[in-house]
Every structure is written in C-alpha cells, then in structure tokens.
Amino acid sequence: MSAPLASKAPNEYAHVDPLSTAQVYYGPDREAFQNAKTRALSGFFGSARPDIGHRHVTRRASADDLPSSPRRYIIPVQQTLKELLEREDTDGDMQITIDDAGPKVFSLATMSSRGHRKADIRGNYMISNLLQELSLAKDMGRDTIILDEARLNENPVSRLSRVIKTAFWDNLTRRIDGFNIEQVGLDPKDWTSDPRPRIYVPRGAPEQHAYYTKLAQDRPDIRLDVRWLPASKITGEFVRDLNDAPGLLAVDMEEVVNDKGERDLRGKPFVVPGGRFNELYGWDSYMESIGLLANDYVDLARSMVEHFCFCIKHYGKIFNANRSYYLGRSQPPFLTDMALRVYDRIKTEPDAKEFLQMAVRAAIKEYHGVWMAFPRLDAATGLSRYRPMGVGVPPETEASHFTHILRPYAERHGISNEEFVARYNSGEIQEPSLDEYFLHDRAVRESGHDTSYRLENVAANLATIDLNSLLYKYEVDISRIIHNYFDDSLAMPAEWCADTFASGYLEKSSTWDRRAKKRRAAIDRYLWNPKEGLYFDYDTVKCERTSYETATTFWALWAGVASPSQAMKLVSIALPKFEEYGGLVSGTEKSRGEVSVARPNRQWDYPFGWAPQQILAWTGLIRYGHEEDAQRLAYKWVYMITKAFFDFNGVVVEKYNVTRPIDPHKVDAEYGNQGSDFKGVAKEGFGWVNASYVYGLTLINAHMKRALGALTPWDTFHRMTEGNPRDDYDESAIEL
C-alpha cells in the first residue's frame, strides 16, 4: 500500500481511481491534496518478525522500500516539464519518442518520503507517458501533482483503450449552434478577402433561420452572415457562385429549455474526423459510429444518424462535409447499416421504431435521388458511379494545389493563373479537357479515396466495387426493414420522396429484393474476375473492366454480395495479395506501379492502410465464416497501432504504412498524416482509427489481448500458440 494521507488530507483523494480521466484525476477536487501532509510508514526487512521475539536483526525501512507498495510521485509541473523536455526531447518536437537520443531515465520525488527520496522511471514508454501526464496537468492549471506510477506503466492496450473512450471521443465531439458558431462558422479554406462566419439554412428549416438571425442581431460583433438556400434545385453554377461567400450548411438541432426557462435550439452533437475539423463528414461518421457503439456512446451515434436524415430531407444527400462547396458532392453511403446498428441498441425505447422509419425513408430518398439518378447511374450496366456535379476549379483546396495543372492553360491564353481561374470559372474561357480533369477530381473526393492512381483521371467513369457493394447492402437492408418492421408496406411522405416520385406511394420489400438481385447479377457480370479471384472496377466509357487490385474488393464480403464460392476465392487468392505486416494495404504494389519525384505516392495506394478497409474486411470475413482470418488481420492492425502508440508518445494517426514494423505512422504522401502534429500529448487521435481500435479488440480473444499488451508481433504470437485452441471471439460486434 502507498503511504496514507494525513488526517487533513481530503478523504476522497485516496479513493480516486489512478486511471480515471484527466478531468477527475487533475481536477479541482484533488487540488487541495498537493499541500496535504503525509507521514512515512515504516516496515521491517528480513525474515524475522519483531513481535514474536526472534533475535534475528532486521533493518527499519521507509514506505519507499516496501516492494508491494505502488509508487506515487510528488511533482512540480512546470519545472519538471521543462527539465524533462530539455533532457529527453532531443529533436525538439515536444514529443518523447524512440527517435530521441535522451538517456531514457528520469528521477522523481516519491510521495511517501514527502519528496526527500527519489526513484527512477525508465524507458521511453514511461517517460513519454510522464510528458503526457504533465501536459494534461498543465492544461488543467495544476502547479503540483501527486502522480500514481500506474499512469506511467499502464498496459498500452488498456491505456489507449481508456483514452479513446474517456478523452478522444469527447475531444472530437462538436455541435453547431450559437455557443460556437463564431469559431466553427469560420472556414480555414475561405480564401476571400473578408472571411467571416456564415451559415446557409434550407427553406424547410425556418426555425433555424430565425434562431441564427436573432443570434446575429443580438451579437453583431461576431459578424454572422445568415443566408437562405434557394427552394429551387441546386445546380453546379449555383455552387460555383457561392465560392465568394463560403459557409456552413445547417445540420440538425434539438429543442431545449435554456437557463431563462425559454424554448431554445441547440445543435445535436456529432464526431469529427480529427482535431482540426468542425464539420459533419460522411463516411467518417459511419466508421466512427462503430467505435462509439463499442464504447457505449449510443446517443451520440444516434445523433449522427439523425444529422444524416436531416441532410437527406433538406438537401437530398449526405454530404462529403457540411460546407457550401460540398453541396453537389456526397460520399460512400452507409446509412442503413448505421441506422440498424443504432436501432439494435435502442429498440426497447419508445421512439425506436420512429427512428428506424425516418432512417429507412431517408435512405430510400438518397438511393433514388442520388445514386440511381443522372449523372451517377450508368444506364447501360445498371451500376452506379461517383460522379458529383460541379463547375470550375474546386474552391476548397489551397490556392496552389492546382497550379501545375492550370499553368499550361494560363500560359496558352497569355494571362496569369489568377485571371485564368476567374475567367474559366465564369465560363468565359472554355476548356473541355480541364472540365474532364475536374469532373474526375471531384469524383475521387466523393469516393472518399482521395487520392489514388486507381481513380486518377478516370474516377467519374468507374462503376466501382465499393459503391455498388454499398448500394446492394442498401437494397437488402431496406427490404429487410420494410418486411420485418413495417408489415411489408412503407408509405413515403412528400419530404422523403425523390424528385421523380409522387407523395404517398408505398414501398414493398419485394421491389427491393428484385433490385438487389439485379445489382448482384450486374456485379458478377461486370466486376467479378473469377480467374483472378477479385472484384475490379468497370470503366463505363471504355466498356471494360479495369485491372487495379484494390482492397475494396473485400467490401463485397461486408455487403454479402459475394457467393460462398466467390468468398473462398477472395480469401485464398486475393487476401494474400493485400495482407502486410500491419494488416491490409489499400492496393497492391503491382497495381500502383513505380513511384518517383514525377510520380509520387498517393495516400490511398500501396503501402498505406486505412481503418475503413480493415473494419469492413474483418466484418465481411466473419460474415462468411472466416473468423480466424478476421482475427489475424485485426490483431496485426491493432498491434501496429499499439506499437506506434507505445514508441511514439501516444500517437494515433489517420493512416499507416502497413509495411513498416518500426514507425508506421510516418507517411510520405500528400496531405501528410493527421493526428501526428501535437505538443506533449495527443488529445483526439483520429476518428476512424479510434473506432477501428476499439472494434478490433472486440473481435480477438483474451489470449490475443494479453499478447498485444506485451507488444508481441503476430508472427511471434502465432508461432508460440500454433495448435492451441483459441477462445471464442465476441459475436456481439458482428454485423446485425
């Protein structure tokens, strides 16, 4: 036991969990403890007991010497933080990692000796954890802390799981309302001469327009610009014309009673991908919801479904993100599965069925109005494509992003780049080849796979295996929901009808069954290559199957579109092509081709791995009975994240180089790696990686978790356990 506190010390301190949240551990309730008096306990070393008269001489010992005593340290925060960084952070990046050349030993004063004695902490992991704890304490305004050693030598799997659940999700959660519109309404991609917070409100949400208008009147200092969106159909030209006044697109709000007892509106919460974001993103939100549900944040996952339903109801689609320049662009559709997972957790609540009804109606409207309509539907094959509308140069990128593309055109016209962009955007200058380039560029971004040589200069023409697997899943899910929950007949009110449908028509499960069978046949005909054991994309303009080997081939397993024999081929033939040290790679090295200064790496190509590819593949493999393959892949991915977290100051990033055993978070590709640039302590991780971590842990057995805590690579674990029976995996995490 550690030394007890003196009688004047707050009793609650001794009972606080050493692994509680930073808000509790360093919070105001414990601040008084820093001045509390303590007394040192004495003990006896040796085999003799003094109370029974043995004459064997023993030596008196302080509490610090007691081997069974968990240590606590008394630490002056600012002074120790300064000394620690000067000694251990040799590359000056405010992180302590295995790349630093410090001694990896640091002495701290022990609490039980009232600071008179010191003990060493050793190793990069404990020392980097010390930096993280001191950084948290500093942020909480603490001058002196009592630190349990348990926070420094905590099992890394337990530590990362804990901070994801108790810190990362909270730090990634946003609302959009009067409380923060001044900050979130400002767009870091607003390149205009007068950036200001701005919000666009759909005509169907007059209560929000009134709310934000009153806010702008009451607080003129924030310069909030509140604008209606037109009731008429949004066009590419309209979106282009908003470039001079970019802003947020309103999302869902809830009615509350404020502190004055008045009815008010408050933004519903949602999770953003990373710390620098303030917008509701598309498929990131689905992946994040998997982790939120695993961590029992059911209300938050539900709120994100409700945001999506609001967007479909009022804008017709789920956006890439809720900014004005994304009005024409969607992202991979996951709404039905997301809603079903949430419904399974709330089905005993009185409004659960209404929630599911709203979600399925929204999915039906999105299906008809976005994915099965011009220009995304390819009528010849019956398959769908990423093909968003847009005119001119996409405004959300940095001004220099397209300079190398635009310069030859500007030079040919004898004008500057800036003048060329203005005249091209307005339509004064016509350049069909540039129109084609930006058509595909927008499609790449709508696919979520920006960027990849798989999609470059062809994305809008491709019926991809990923999109069509997702739409097959929509068709199957919608059929099941209508049949199982709504007596096989679902009426569609006007607000949930796509443009070509009349209000009040009925949806039947049989219609959706036929759609699913038709899409499955088209996928088999156009996308499946039985010889290669892979699904490929189909070029609807060239009328030929492509040859790029992509990990999205496994989305067919997640969606259930593959037959058992196709699934066997995917596992036996395709899986070995994508499996690397840290899990699945996005595409094969052969398909990517050679890279050079002139042809650099793309972040969705080899050798990079992404959380969505892992999550969908694991779930798909388990769906078809390949649990051991799913567990192996989950182990590799979770191990890789844990090892980087252990060695590199608690880092959790957007993507990983799955071929690198040592520093997989160091990614040499465009856009860098979100989540790696922090000072002292990582506070958010990255949304879908957080989710993949907690979800992956639900798929592996207890033996595997213990091995991960000991940082055992897969090959070592497999070699040591080969032939041993495995524990059962957690079936509750599998697709509903």
Side-chain angles (χ1 to χ4, degrees), residues 11 74 120 209 222 244 255 323 337 346 418 440 450 472 484 551 566 572 604 612 624 686 690:
N11 291 332
I74 182 167
D120 290 341
H209 191 273
I222 68 176
D244 293 331
E255 190 172 285
R323 291 282 180 185
D337 191 76
I346 66 168
E418 292 75 15
H440 295 306
D450 47 321
Y472 174 83
N484 292 351
Q566 287 170 327
S572 62
W604 280 91
Y624 283 83
F686 198 85
N690 301 342

Side-chain angles (χ1 to χ4, degrees), residues 278-318:
N278 289 307
E279 304 85 8
L280 173 72
Y281 274 76
W283 73 315
D284 292 77
S285 295
Y286 169 74
M287 301 300 163
E288 291 156 357
S289 74
I290 301 296
L292 291 172
L293 292 172
N295 281 151
D296 297 322
Y297 286 90
V298 179
D299 289 344
L300 185 50
R302 174 178 180 162
S303 174
M304 292 162 77
V305 172
E306 291 167 348
H307 276 301
F308 283 168
C309 294
F310 178 94
C311 290
I312 293 170
K313 179 179 180 180
H314 294 289
Y315 306 108
K317 63 175 67 67
I318 295 170

Side-chain angles (χ1 to χ4, degrees), residues 314-476:
H314 294 289
Y315 306 108
K317 63 175 67 67
I318 295 170
F319 294 120
N320 184 156
N322 64 311
R323 291 282 180 185
S324 56
Y325 39 75
Y326 295 135
L327 271 165
R329 189 187 309 168
S330 190
Q331 274 208 317
F334 285 92
L335 179 58
T336 57
D337 191 76
M338 188 177 179
L340 280 167
R341 288 177 181 272
V342 171
Y343 175 78
D344 188 62
R345 299 291 295 273
I346 66 168
K347 57 190 174 186
T348 58
E349 297 179 13
D351 61 345
K353 193 169 181 180
E354 287 76 12
F355 164 84
L356 186 61
Q357 183 183 70
M358 175 182 66
V360 71
R361 283 173 169 166
I364 290 169
K365 180 177 181 179
E366 179 198 19
Y367 175 90
H368 290 308
V370 178
W371 303 112
M372 295 301 288
F374 178 83
R376 291 178 178 85
L377 175 64
D378 176 57
T381 61
L383 298 173
S384 300
R385 306 167 294 189
Y386 296 112
R387 203 175 177 92
M389 68 178 180
V391 174
V393 181
E396 72 270 18
T397 57
E398 291 80 359
S400 61
H401 185 81
F402 294 113
T403 298
H404 66 294
I405 299 296
L406 298 171
R407 184 179 293 116
Y409 293 92
E411 290 175 351
R412 189 166 71 243
H413 287 273
I415 55 180
S416 68
N417 265 29
E418 292 75 15
E419 184 180 353
F420 174 80
V421 169
R423 293 171 65 182
Y424 170 69
N425 282 353
S426 70
E428 180 183 345
I429 292 178
Q430 297 291 317
E431 289 289 354
S433 61
L434 203 53
D435 295 344
E436 180 81 2
Y437 174 84
F438 286 122
L439 169 67
H440 295 306
D441 181 82
R442 288 185 174 89
V444 170
R445 299 175 195 282
E446 183 169 74
S447 78
H449 292 74
D450 47 321
T451 59
S452 166
Y453 288 117
R454 166 195 171 208
L455 303 173
E456 195 166 283
N457 297 320
V458 72
N461 297 341
L462 298 181
T464 65
I465 180 56
D466 32 299
L467 176 57
N468 286 283
S469 292
L470 299 182
L471 294 176
Y472 174 83
K473 183 72 158 56
Y474 260 42
E475 291 155 353
V476 172

